[in-house]
Amino acid sequence: MGEGRVKDDVPVYGAMRQTDSRPKSERTTQEIHMRTKRKTPNIERRTSNAERKVPPFGVNEANSEYAAPKKIKYDLEDRLLEFAVAVVELTDDLPNTRAGNHIAGQLLRCGTSPYGHHGEVESAESRKDFIHKLKVCLKELRETRRWLRLVSRLKKMNRDPRLVACLAEAQELIRIFVASVRTTERGRNK
């Protein structure tokens, strides 16, 4: 068979094969491809975007039928990420002194680690491992809260509104993790 030619006797699944009395040289490539295209069985059936509720590429989700409900979904991972960003920005503004660098380093480590540890929580191998990793996040958040309290006592930083917001968010995250640990431990003891 020569190059660029399509084999004429390829089976067409799900439909009867039609014969064309014209010679192969007179048929267009599109006609040949249409005749040789097989139908997909149900197990390989493609799902259209409308069935999957996934917006097509380039569709602005805000003004389409695929837009999320108006109620904002609570996402702990995003909240921990935003907290880590706020801590990073806050530590960047600490004074460049020996004490400021020490506090910044400690705050940076404990303030950003809950975000990373939360990824470990999501991939826990057992309920016991899940609880342990939740407690590690909780421990880091409590340490962050202590360092933030120390920063709030520094004369140069005590008026920063970001500090108040970080302290409040640390406290809320601690409450969330305490509740998660209690709920999970209660479920383990049943």
Side-chain angles (χ1 to χ4, degrees), residues 29-42:
T29 306
Q30 185 177 10
E31 287 175 330
I32 294 170
H33 284 295
M34 291 300 288
R35 289 188 60 217
T36 59
K37 189 175 185 182
R38 73 176 181 96
K39 292 191 177 192
T40 309
N42 284 341

Side-chain angles (χ1 to χ4, degrees), residues 27-75:
R27 296 181 201 152
T28 66
T29 306
Q30 185 177 10
E31 287 175 330
I32 294 170
H33 284 295
M34 291 300 288
R35 289 188 60 217
T36 59
K37 189 175 185 182
R38 73 176 181 96
K39 292 191 177 192
T40 309
N42 284 341
I43 58 172
E44 297 178 13
R45 185 176 60 87
R46 298 198 191 281
T47 307
S48 70
N49 286 335
E51 290 175 43
R52 287 181 22 211
K53 294 296 183 196
V54 174
F57 181 75
V59 171
N60 183 357
E61 290 187 38
N63 298 326
S64 74
E65 65 179 301
Y66 302 105
K70 297 297 179 200
K71 184 179 178 185
I72 297 172
K73 186 178 176 186
Y74 172 76
D75 189 6

Side-chain angles (χ1 to χ4, degrees), residues 17-137:
R17 189 173 157 184
Q18 298 175 355
T19 58
D20 193 345
S21 60
R22 295 181 294 168
K24 290 180 186 176
S25 59
E26 291 180 10
R27 296 181 201 152
T28 66
T29 306
Q30 185 177 10
E31 287 175 330
I32 294 170
H33 284 295
M34 291 300 288
R35 289 188 60 217
T36 59
K37 189 175 185 182
R38 73 176 181 96
K39 292 191 177 192
T40 309
N42 284 341
I43 58 172
E44 297 178 13
R45 185 176 60 87
R46 298 198 191 281
T47 307
S48 70
N49 286 335
E51 290 175 43
R52 287 181 22 211
K53 294 296 183 196
V54 174
F57 181 75
V59 171
N60 183 357
E61 290 187 38
N63 298 326
S64 74
E65 65 179 301
Y66 302 105
K70 297 297 179 200
K71 184 179 178 185
I72 297 172
K73 186 178 176 186
Y74 172 76
D75 189 6
L76 185 57
E77 183 178 348
D78 287 341
R79 197 163 172 179
L80 287 168
L81 176 62
E82 291 303 317
F83 180 68
V85 168
V87 167
V88 168
E89 291 173 351
L90 187 67
T91 57
D92 279 345
D93 290 341
L94 285 173
N96 192 14
T97 62
R98 185 172 177 186
N101 289 336
H102 172 73
I103 294 169
Q106 294 287 344
L107 183 57
L108 191 60
R109 278 188 288 280
C110 63
T112 56
S113 69
Y115 176 67
H117 286 294
H118 185 260
E120 294 293 319
V121 170
E122 291 176 341
S123 62
E125 296 172 359
S126 65
R127 186 180 295 256
K128 185 177 179 181
D129 188 36
F130 181 80
I131 293 169
H132 171 71
K133 289 175 179 182
L134 277 176
K135 286 181 177 181
V136 170
C137 286

